[in-house]
Amino acid sequence: MSISYKELGFVNTNEMFKKAMEGKYAVPAYNFNNMEQLQAIIKGCGESKSPVILQVSSGARNYANPTLLRNLGKGAVEMAGDFGYTVPIALHLDHGDTYELCVSCIESGFSSVMIDGSHHSYDENVQLTKKVVDYAHKYDVTVEGELGVLAGIEDDVVAAESTYTQPAEVEDFVSKTGVDSLAISIGTSHGAFKFKPEDCTLNEDGILVPPPLRFDILEEIEKKIPGFPIVLHGASSVLPKYVAIINENGGSLEAAVGIPEKQLRQAAQSAVCKINIDSDGRLVLTAMIRKVFNEKPDEFDPRKYLGPARDELTSMIINKNTNVLGSSGKY
Ligand code: G3H
Ligand code: 13P
Ligand code: ZN
C-alpha cells in the first residue's frame, strides 16, 4: 500500500529552495539513522526556526528498517507539532542509486529523492535521472540529481579522486532531465577525512587547513543556470572541538579535516540552497558517548550516554543553522 508524503505532513523542497535562493541561505539536510539523531534534528531546527530536510541513505534504511524509519519521520512531524514548531520538514532519500529504490521511497512517503547517477556515463546519468523525475513529478515529489564525482565514500561506492562538475554540462543536464536541484562537485567530499594531509597547509595554531573550494566553478555553473538550486554534499566541517574530545577519550582520529565554516557560509549565500551534513553529527555523538564512558566507567544506562550526546547534537545543529547556513529564523 503506498502513502503520500502529504498525508504524513512532509513538504517537498520547491518552496524551501525558492525562499533560500531569495534569502541567500542554505537549507540544512541532516542524515539520521536513529531516534536520538532525529530528536536532535527536529529540536535543533525547530528551536532555531530553520526549515529542515531529514535525510535517509540506503545504509540507514538497511540499518534501521525502512518501515520503522519512515514512521520515525512521521512521528517527528507530530513531535514538531507538539512543540509548536512551524518549520517545514522534508523527508529525502540520500544517494538513491536505482530507479526502483526511488519509487519505493516515494511510495512509502518520501517528499524528495536524490538519484545519484554520477558514477555512470553522462548519457546514462541523464537517462536514469529523467526516468526518476518523470515518475516523481507525477506525485509532486522533488528530485535532486548529481553531476561530477566527490572523492570519498558514498554508500558502497568509493572514489579516490574527485571529478569536478563541468559547467558546460549543467544546462543540458538540467533541461534534459527536469531535475529540481543539482548536486555538484567543487572540492567537498564525504566522511571525516576529506583531504590528504599533504594537500593541506598548517596554520599558526597547528591546525590543518584544506585547499579552498572551487568557487570559480560554482560561479560558472550559476551563470549557466541562473537561479537554479545547487546542492553541496560532503559539507561537514569536521569540527576540531569534537575530534579533540574523541581523541582525548580513547579515540584515534588523526588528520581528520573538513570544510571550513567560512567557506560554507560563503557557499550558502550563493545558489547553494541545500547543504548536506552527516559526519559532523556522527562526530558529536561519538565524542559525547566516549566522554561519558571514559569519565563514568560504571554507567550502563543508554539514556545516560545517548541523552547528553543528543543534547550536544541539538546545540551543534542550532549553531550550524545560525552561524554557517544562515537558515535560522526563516520560519
Ligand atoms: O553521503 C553519505 C551519507 O553520509 C550517508 O552515509 O551511507 O553511511 O549512511 P551512509
Ligand atoms: P559529510 O560526510 O561531509 O557529512 O556529507 C554528508 C553527505 O553528503 C550526505 O549525503
Ligand atoms: Zn552525499
Side-chain angles (χ1 to χ4, degrees):
M1 194 197 70
S2 73
I3 185 160
S4 163
Y5 69 85
K6 293 173 188 171
E7 288 171 53
L8 302 180
F10 294 113
V11 298
N12 70 23
T13 57
N14 278 334
E15 195 60 28
M16 285 185 182
F17 290 168
K18 192 167 172 279
K19 278 196 73 170
M21 186 74 74
E22 286 163 7
K24 294 194 182 304
Y25 61 90
V27 178
Y30 293 109
N31 288 70
F32 77 98
N33 301 265
N34 66 20
M35 183 189 75
E36 283 78 9
Q37 287 173 307
L38 188 54
Q39 288 172 315
I41 297 166
I42 293 297
K43 198 155 177 229
C45 293
E47 291 294 325
S48 60
K49 298 190 189 321
S50 166
V52 61
I53 297 171
L54 301 174
Q55 204 155 250
V56 171
S57 68
S58 37
R61 278 165 55 94
N62 292 339
Y63 171 77
N65 177 278
T67 308
L68 183 61
L69 263 193
R70 181 242 291 167
N71 280 291
L72 272 179
K74 176 174 180 251
V77 172
E78 288 174 25
M79 179 188 123
D82 292 345
F83 277 103
Y85 302 146
T86 53
V87 298
I89 304 172
L91 183 64
H92 174 80
L93 169 66
D94 191 24
H95 293 286
D97 58 348
T98 63
Y99 171 77
E100 291 72 22
L101 176 59
C102 293
V103 168
S104 161
C105 286
I106 292 166
E107 285 181 344
S108 72
F110 281 59
S111 61
S112 177
V113 292
M114 174 188 194
I115 177 69
D116 181 356
S118 63
H119 300 281
H120 297 294
S121 71
Y122 179 79
D123 288 340
E124 283 165 353
N125 189 359
V126 168
Q127 217 175 21
L128 177 62
T129 305
K130 181 173 168 20
K131 194 173 168 192
V132 171
V133 169
D134 288 346
Y135 180 83
H137 282 182
K138 282 195 261 182
Y139 302 95
D140 219 6
V141 167
T142 38
V143 181
E144 174 185 325
E146 180 167 336
L147 264 184
V149 180
L150 273 68
I153 302 163
E154 292 181 354
D155 279 319
D156 298 328
V157 184
V158 182
E161 301 289 339
S162 32
T163 311
Y164 297 128
T165 305
Q166 294 179 37
E169 287 181 347
V170 297
E171 201 179 346
D172 184 67
F173 186 82
V174 165
S175 72
K176 279 191 179 146
T177 60
V179 276
D180 303 286
S181 60
L182 182 68
I184 60 165
S185 173
I186 55 165
T188 61
S189 75
H190 291 101
F193 302 93
K194 299 189 185 298
F195 303 96
K196 295 188 201 111
E198 58 267 31
D199 294 334
C200 301
T201 48
L202 263 188
N203 75 6
E204 61 273 18
D205 301 320
I207 293 185
L208 286 172
V209 180
L213 296 180
R214 293 291 304 270
F215 282 100
D216 56 324
I217 297 179
L218 174 58
E219 272 170 34
E220 274 193 65
I221 291 170
E222 288 187 80
K223 279 188 204 143
K224 300 279 183 194
I225 43 173
F228 193 80
I230 300 297
V231 178
L232 271 195
H233 281 248
S236 279
S237 291
V238 187
L239 298 161
K241 173 180 165 187
Y242 299 107
V243 174
I245 296 175
I246 290 171
N247 290 339
E248 281 157 16
N249 289 280
S252 174
L253 290 183
E254 306 311 329
V257 185
I259 313 297
E261 291 187 334
K262 219 172 137 192
Q263 291 185 39
L264 294 170
R265 185 84 208 92
Q266 184 181 340
Q269 285 163 328
S270 72
V272 170
C273 290
K274 172 175 179 267
I275 290 189
N276 285 10
I277 300 131
D278 188 2
S279 297
D280 275 344
R282 295 179 182 197
L283 290 167
V284 170
L285 295 182
T286 305
M288 303 326 283
I289 292 169
R290 273 196 177 278
K291 193 163 184 287
V292 173
F293 282 170
N294 198 21
E295 289 171 359
K296 299 178 187 161
D298 59 343
E299 188 54 74
F300 70 100
D301 180 344
R303 293 169 297 188
K304 297 285 167 47
Y305 51 87
L306 294 177
R310 178 184 63 190
D311 295 346
E312 187 66 26
L313 181 55
T314 309
S315 305
M316 190 279 281
I317 286 171
I318 293 173
N319 185 54
K320 203 173 272 287
N321 293 348
T322 308
N323 300 316
V324 185
L325 276 65
S327 61
S328 289
K330 303 299 180 187
Y331 282 85

